[in-house]
Amino acid sequence: MNNILVPQTGFTGKHLTGEKIDKAVRKISDLSSIFNDEAAFAAAPPDKIVYEVESYLPVKDGTTGGLFFGITHLHPGMVGNEYFMTKGHFHKLADRGEFYWGIEGEGMLILMDKNRKTWAEKMYPGSLHYIDGYIAHRTANTGSGIFSFGACWPSDAGHDYDIISQHGFSKILVEENGTPVLIDRVKD
Ligand code: M6P
Ligand code: ZN
């Protein structure tokens, strides 16, 4: 025994391999109240996959001082004129930050502070995004292929989905003349 170990988990650049990898799939039917256009949402196929998340969770959820690592694959698509996107969340321990980085395809990181000020950053292969604590975050696929991005966050951060599922972000990302634009969300 020479104390040189072989890792049991791998990162191929796009996928995670090995032990302790958690996989989650989010379909249209899992995303009620996320999209703004309710009629378009009701007409969308409920079983269509919107995104998949692979996560390496080496410690128990809630552990102070640990880290989690995830890759999210957002499929291309729209609900009405809104791009396929993640649910989006604040952290339960609200001051916890997170890194996101673009791996493949084109997307947008949509951010909102506690005062509901919303802005967005373009994501593309090689883009790196530091998300400060107290900032809600979600991503959207603005391209025609799969949009994959990485994430690394503290293992005690947790996910708080309540504010977003009840009130959304104050702005939504829609396609206008083939271009993504961030506009005020007006609920009809
Ligand atoms: C990233 C990380 C995860 C998150 C996932 C999907 O991989 O931020 O913590 O779960 O994106 O986002 P959401 O949980 O908002 O659906
Ligand atoms: Zn997060």
Side-chain angles (χ1 to χ4, degrees):
M1 184 60 181
N2 59 10
N3 292 320
I4 297 176
L5 307 178
V6 176
Q8 298 302 300
T9 309
F11 175 41
T12 66
K14 189 170 170 190
H15 292 285
L16 297 174
T17 57
E19 295 176 354
K20 293 190 185 163
I21 305 300
D22 180 80
K23 294 196 178 177
V25 175
R26 302 271 179 253
K27 299 176 179 175
I28 292 273
S29 56
D30 300 314
L31 301 173
S32 62
S33 79
I34 294 298
F35 293 99
N36 201 51
D37 184 337
E38 283 171 15
F41 178 79
D47 284 336
K48 195 167 170 56
I49 293 175
V50 178
Y51 61 102
E52 296 158 87
V53 188
E54 306 170 41
S55 309
Y56 178 32
L57 312 171
V59 294
K60 200 166 160 278
D61 193 17
T63 301
T64 305
L67 294 170
F68 289 156
F69 189 97
I71 311 293
T72 301
H73 307 282
L74 260 161
H75 291 233
M78 321 251 346
V79 173
N81 63 354
E82 213 173 355
Y83 299 94
F84 273 11
M85 60 184 168
T86 59
K87 285 162 73 167
H89 57 270
F90 285 96
H91 289 151
K92 246 189 195 122
L93 282 188
D95 66 350
R96 299 311 197 239
E98 183 161 0
F99 275 114
Y100 274 10
W101 59 96
I103 294 175
E104 182 179 311
E106 289 166 47
M108 204 72 85
L109 170 59
I110 306 165
L111 301 157
M112 183 176 75
D113 70 14
K114 284 187 298 186
N115 300 320
R116 299 190 58 73
K117 178 178 166 254
T118 298
W119 68 103
E121 294 178 7
K122 282 190 177 185
M123 295 185 78
Y124 47 85
S127 68
L128 180 61
H129 312 263
Y130 174 65
I131 302 164
D132 218 338
Y134 302 102
I135 304 290
H137 38 289
R138 92 161 14 134
T139 55
N141 185 345
T142 55
S144 51
I146 287 270
F147 165 53
S148 299
F149 69 94
C152 185
W153 68 102
S155 49
D156 62 355
H159 297 82
D160 181 350
Y161 293 107
D162 291 351
I163 297 170
I164 302 304
S165 68
Q166 284 164 30
H167 306 289
F169 282 58
S170 63
K171 290 178 187 285
I172 58 173
L173 190 74
V174 297
E175 186 185 62
E176 272 181 18
N177 304 318
T179 309
V181 287
L182 201 57
I183 59 167
D184 286 341
R185 175 173 171 273
V186 183
K187 198 77 189 150
D188 47 24

